[in-house]
């Protein structure tokens, strides 16, 4: 099968197209013919061996994807050959024509979604759901800031928060990003590269119940000052260290919680997938695809996913 691979930790340009052996599956696994692979920042961390991620070589990047089941292990129940599915944390890499998937991380793909859209679901929407509901306990009517809302997780969070009846403020880094957020239904968009962009929210009367934070090393200190009493910052993204004043937490009975997709237990994953599916079927949630790359353009996708000026998800078309 065709696959994009790398033989040691390195830069995106070290990725190359190879003819690899089609993987075989164990009794408890599923083989999926990949239609499209999602490209997430974590793929670049794994490829380069940064942010505490490691892998074995040759390495085929890609945790997320969508496609058609072509083979089931003898112990697998609840799935069918020919079924359209999306998956996350697959075992062999989604930047390839076939991927070995675990039953715990493979879900039916809503009929309303293409494989390209399905490839955007695993990490972004599961993270968004867990951050909002599983970690920050956000509720209908809460005032929520999605701090860094133009990327894959941010747009998923905006869509989920709006659909749950929250009062959403969202931040962008570019005018195009701000326009995208307004088109998603956000009435108050702020610009996270402007100094003091949180100032108007930094009182108990105007502060947020929940902040979903995509770049905590830049923002956590100011986020804490923009919480109302009992407010919570859920840290989804972070690329460094930050100094905070714990008094900002004390003064508000506030909390900071971490969110790591890797910590979700299979039962919670399954509940999240079940909760999301009707929302995808009805079109309440719909991934925004910024760009679809050919498989051979994976290196470019790895470069682009780390650039500022996000406008949704990046996807590699495989099938
Ligand atoms: P992405 O698509 O690359 O988006 C990155 C987002 O960060 C964009 O909205 C970008 O906005 C925003 N951003 C840039 N500078 C910012 C700033 N100063 N303040 C606030 N936001 C800023 O990435 P993603 O897939 O949405 O993931 C977002 C982050 O969460 C990444 O660091 C990723 O590694 C992490 N993540 C963590 C988990 C977990 O389990 N904890 C799961 C998935 C992702 P502009 O481009 O408009 O400036």
């Amino acid at each position: 099968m065709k696959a994009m691979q790398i033989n040691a930790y390195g830069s995106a340009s070290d990725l190359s197209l190879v003819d690899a052996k089609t993987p075989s599956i164990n009794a408890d696994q599923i083989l999926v013919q990949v239609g499209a692979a999602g490209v997430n920042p974590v793929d670049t961390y794994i490829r380069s061996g940064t942010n505490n991620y490691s892998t074995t070589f040759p390495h085929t990047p890609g945790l997320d994807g969508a496609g058609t089941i072509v083979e089931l292990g003898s112990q697998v129940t609840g799935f069918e050959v020919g079924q359209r599915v999306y998956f996350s944390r697959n075992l062999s890499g989604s930047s390839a024509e076939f991927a070995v998937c675990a039953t715990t991380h493979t879900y039916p793909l809503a009929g309303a979604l293409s494989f390209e859209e399905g490839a955007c679901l695993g990490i972004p929407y599961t993270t968004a759901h867990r951050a909002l509901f599983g970690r920050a306990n956000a509720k209908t009517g809460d005032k929520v800031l999605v701090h860094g809302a133009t990327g894959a997780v941010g747009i998923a969070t905006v869509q989920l928060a709006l659909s749950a009846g929250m009062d959403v403020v969202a931040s962008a880094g570019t005018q195009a990003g701000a326009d995208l957020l307004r088109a998603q239904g956000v009435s108050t968009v702020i610009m996270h590269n402007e100094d003091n962009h949180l100032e108007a929210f930094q009182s108990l009367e105007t502060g947020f119940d929940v902040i979903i934070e995509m770049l905590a090393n830049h923002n956590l200190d100011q986020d804490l000052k923009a919480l109302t009493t009992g407010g919570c910052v859920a840290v989804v993204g972070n690329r460094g260290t930050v100094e905070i004043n714990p008094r900002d937490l004390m003064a508000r009975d506030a909390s900071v919680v971490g969110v790591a997709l890797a910590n979700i237990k299979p039962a919670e994953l399954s509940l999240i997938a079940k909760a999301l599916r009707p929302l995808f079927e009805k079109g309440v949630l719909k991934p925004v695809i910024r760009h679809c790359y050919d498989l051979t353009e994976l290196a470019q996708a790895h470069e682009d996913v780390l650039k500022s000026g996000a406008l949704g998800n990046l996807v590699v078309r495989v099938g």
Side-chain angles (χ1 to χ4, degrees), residues 41 45 123 127 147-154 172-174 192-193 213-215 218-219 236-237 239 259-261 305 308-310:
Y45 312 153
I123 291 176
T127 302
H147 211 174
T150 52
V153 180
T174 61
H192 50 234
N193 294 330
E213 180 54 61
M214 303 302 163
L215 200 59
H218 270 233
N219 298 321
V236 171
R239 290 179 180 159
V259 182
L261 201 51
V305 79
S308 56

